[in-house]
Amino acid sequence: MTHQQLTSAGKPPVTPVRQLTVYFSNSRRGARLARQLAVQQFTEWTGLPYDADPARAVALITAELASNAVRHGSLPGRDFRLTLRLLPAGFRVEVTDTQPERLPPPVIAEPIDDETSGRGLLLVEAYADCWGCTAPDSCTKTVWAEVCLRTPDA
């Protein structure tokens, strides 16, 4: 698993097989709906069941990225954007918010045992095959993560 702190150049573009972009309200409900939509699209596009490991990874990753956008990356009255991409070898989740100056840390520290938060990006790191952040302009940032669909022997 890799984490990439990227500039506007970002990761080399991969032409998606399918793509969907939806805006959600800056709320816990918006984050929950984003997670539900991501899993629904994942299962529809890949044909994998809801309880497959990759679908669970997509659910967890989307929940963490969307809740981070709501909690740390939004301005009052501004929505966050969820983009889902089915790639030739994987599934990419992108969450775009309106706080480009609040980038994820380049190194994720282990949280202190009694803290009740601070584990979200550790989970993204554990479940994503790769993830990172781009700041395409001065008004937004996108945190993305990819889940590979190939088996290790492929």
Side-chain angles (χ1 to χ4, degrees):
M1 286 155 249
T2 61
H3 168 248
Q4 301 173 9
Q5 192 76 24
L6 300 172
T7 62
S8 59
K11 193 174 180 182
V14 174
T15 304
V17 176
R18 292 190 175 134
Q19 178 174 315
L20 174 70
T21 299
V22 179
Y23 287 84
F24 289 94
S25 66
N26 173 26
S27 65
R28 288 175 33 187
R29 181 174 187 262
R32 185 178 70 250
L33 292 172
R35 177 186 52 82
Q36 291 171 340
L37 176 64
V39 174
Q40 174 65 37
Q41 284 305 130
F42 176 83
T43 59
E44 183 178 315
W45 288 347
T46 65
L48 293 171
Y50 286 96
D51 62 350
D53 287 342
R56 290 178 179 161
V58 166
L60 185 137
I61 289 166
T62 306
E64 291 302 332
L65 296 184
S67 91
N68 282 350
V70 168
R71 177 179 269 177
H72 305 293
S74 61
L75 295 171
R78 303 297 294 270
D79 297 338
F80 70 90
R81 181 176 68 216
L82 173 70
T83 299
L84 306 171
R85 300 174 197 267
L86 179 62
L87 305 173
F91 189 82
R92 183 174 171 127
V93 176
E94 299 177 2
V95 175
T96 302
D97 65 45
T98 56
Q99 292 284 338
E101 66 279 357
R102 298 193 71 185
L103 296 173
V107 175
I108 301 169
E110 294 287 333
I112 298 170
D113 286 340
D114 59 348
E115 288 185 13
T116 58
S117 65
R119 292 168 176 81
L121 290 178
L122 286 171
L123 292 171
V124 171
E125 176 84 23
Y127 283 88
D129 291 293
C130 61
W131 72 281
C133 182
T134 60
D137 55 48
S138 63
C139 299
T140 62
K141 77 165 175 298
T142 300
V143 182
W144 57 267
E146 291 181 8
V147 175
C148 187
L149 297 178
R150 292 186 180 156
T151 59
D153 353 12

